Amino acid sequence: STLVDVNCDLTGLIYVINTYILTVVSLLGILFNGLCVLVFARIIRSEPQIGHMFKYLLAKAVHDLIQFLIQIFAPLYYCESCSTYKTFLSQVWYIWFYYYVESINELCSGLLEVAATFDCYITINRKLNACKKNLFCALVILGTLAYSCLFYTFQLFSFEIVKQSKQIDNQTASTIYYEFKLTNFASTEASKAFQLMHGLKRDVVTLILILILNLLLLAHIKKSMSLKKRLTRGNMNLSNINLNDESLHMGAQRAAESAVGTTTTRRAESRAEIAERNTTIMVILTGINYTIGHLASFVYYCFLIFFQSKFSSCFFIVGLIQFYVSYVTPFFIYYKFNKSFRSCLFQTLKCKF
C-alpha cells in the first residue's frame, strides 16, 4: 500500500479490498499464524537440539501475526461512517503502524524466509557449522529486526498530520478532522531512493535469493534420488549372482545374518531420510509460495527500474490480495510436510480445548 501511483480510480476498489477481502484474510492470518507461533514454540521447547530453521520460522510467524493484527484495523480507518474516520489517533495509527511497523514486519518476514531456506540447505549438505550456533541464530533474528527498524525511519519523516475544518450545510459550527500530507522530505531524492530500495530489498533481492536457494535444494534432492537409484540397482545385481559356489554361499549367509542385526538401524536411517526430504520439500514450497505472493510487486519494480515504466495502480492493488494470502498459506504447507508440526499442533489443540 506504500507505492501506489494513483493513475486510475481506486477509491471503491481500495474500500472493498480493505473493508471486506483483507478483513477475512487478516482473520485467517491471525488464526493460522497464531497456531504457527504456538506450534513452533512447542517444537523448539520439546526438541532443544532441533535445527535453527524452526527458530527462523517461529520469528517469521511472529512478524506475520503482528502484520495481520495491524491489518485487521484497516476497515476502521477507511470507514467514513465510523467515529474513527479522520481522527488524530487514526492518522497516527496509519503512519506509525500501517506504514512503518508493517513495512518492518514485511521485510523481516522475507529475510527470515531466506534464513530458514539457507539453514535447510547447509543442514542437508553438512556445511558451515558456524552458522548452526545459537549465537548466530539470535544475531540473525535480532539483526534483521534492528536493520529494518533503522532503515524505515525515513518513512516517519515523510508524513505530517494536519488539522483541517469544513463547513457542513445548515450548521454554523465547522467540523474538525485530521489528515496526513507528504512533507518536503518525501519529495527529495533521498526519500525516493529509500522508497526504491524498500521495494528492491523486499520484493526483488529477497525473492531472487529464495529462488537461488530453492534451485540448490532441488538439485540436492535430484542428486540424492539418483544416488539412491544407483544403490538400488547395484543391490539388485548382487542378488542375481549365482550362489552355487559353497564359499560364496557361506559368505551370503554371513551377510544375511549381519543384515538382521542392522535392520533397525537401516529403518531409522530411512525414517530420518524421509523426514529430511519432507522438510526440504516444505522449505521449497514455502519459497514458491513467497515467490507467488510477491510476483506482482517483483514485476512492478523490475519494470520501474529497467524500463522506467509503471503498471496501472489497479494491477498493484489487486496484487495486494495475493501478497497477504501468501502469509496465510504456509500453515498448510507446514502441516502437510512436517510430522513434528502435525503432532505438536494436535498436542497444542488438546491443551487449549
Side-chain angles (χ1 to χ4, degrees), residues 145-302:
L145 177 60
Y147 171 75
S148 300
C149 290
L150 289 174
F151 174 76
Y152 284 113
T153 50
F154 81 91
Q155 293 182 344
L156 299 177
F157 298 98
S158 300
F159 298 98
E160 63 178 349
I161 301 174
V162 294
K163 187 177 181 180
Q164 304 279 9
S165 63
K166 64 179 179 179
Q167 191 75 30
I168 300 178
D169 296 339
N170 301 324
Q171 290 187 13
T172 55
S174 58
T175 302
I176 304 298
Y177 65 96
Y178 294 87
E179 290 183 333
F180 67 85
K181 69 174 184 177
L182 295 176
T183 62
N184 294 331
F185 173 76
S187 59
T188 62
E189 293 299 322
S191 177
K192 294 178 181 178
F194 277 119
Q195 192 69 18
L196 182 61
M197 288 172 62
H198 152 73
L200 282 173
K201 285 186 290 186
R202 190 196 67 179
D203 300 315
V204 179
V205 176
T206 304
L207 189 144
I208 291 173
L209 287 174
I210 290 174
L211 286 175
I212 292 173
L213 289 170
N214 279 351
L215 289 175
L216 292 174
L217 290 173
L218 285 171
H220 175 84
I221 291 178
K222 183 179 179 180
K223 182 179 178 181
S224 62
M225 291 181 68
S226 299
L227 179 61
K228 190 173 183 179
K229 287 181 180 179
R230 287 198 299 269
L231 291 174
T232 304
R233 196 178 300 116
N235 291 335
M236 291 177 63
N237 293 334
L238 287 174
S239 64
N240 293 327
I241 294 176
N242 189 352
L243 298 178
N244 291 332
D245 186 278
E246 184 178 354
S247 61
L248 288 176
H249 184 67
M250 294 297 293
Q253 284 183 333
R254 287 194 297 269
E257 292 172 358
S258 176
V260 172
T262 58
T263 301
T264 304
T265 304
R266 288 178 180 176
R267 287 178 179 174
E269 289 176 354
S270 178
R271 287 195 295 269
E273 290 174 357
I274 292 173
E276 184 179 90
R277 184 171 65 250
N278 286 341
T279 300
T280 305
I281 293 172
M282 179 191 78
V283 172
I284 291 173
L285 289 177
T286 54
I288 293 173
N289 173 75
Y290 184 90
T291 303
I292 294 173
H294 289 73
L295 191 60
S297 300
F298 177 80
V299 173
Y300 178 88
Y301 283 108
C302 284

Side-chain angles (χ1 to χ4, degrees), residues 60 289-290 292-294 321-330:
K60 179 182 182 301
N289 173 75
Y290 184 90
I292 294 173
H294 289 73
I321 302 173
Q322 182 180 345
F323 177 83
Y324 280 109
V325 169
S326 68
Y327 289 98
V328 178
T329 48

Side-chain angles (χ1 to χ4, degrees), residues 7-26:
N7 50 24
C8 65
D9 187 12
L10 296 175
T11 306
L13 184 61
I14 288 177
Y15 181 80
V16 170
I17 290 175
N18 283 285
T19 305
Y20 301 107
I21 299 176
L22 288 185
T23 299
V24 175
V25 174
S26 297

Side-chain angles (χ1 to χ4, degrees), residues 24-35 64-65 68 327-328:
V24 175
V25 174
S26 297
L27 289 172
L28 294 174
I30 292 170
L31 172 63
F32 292 124
N33 281 288
L35 286 174
D64 294 345
L65 176 60
F68 282 114
Y327 289 98
V328 178

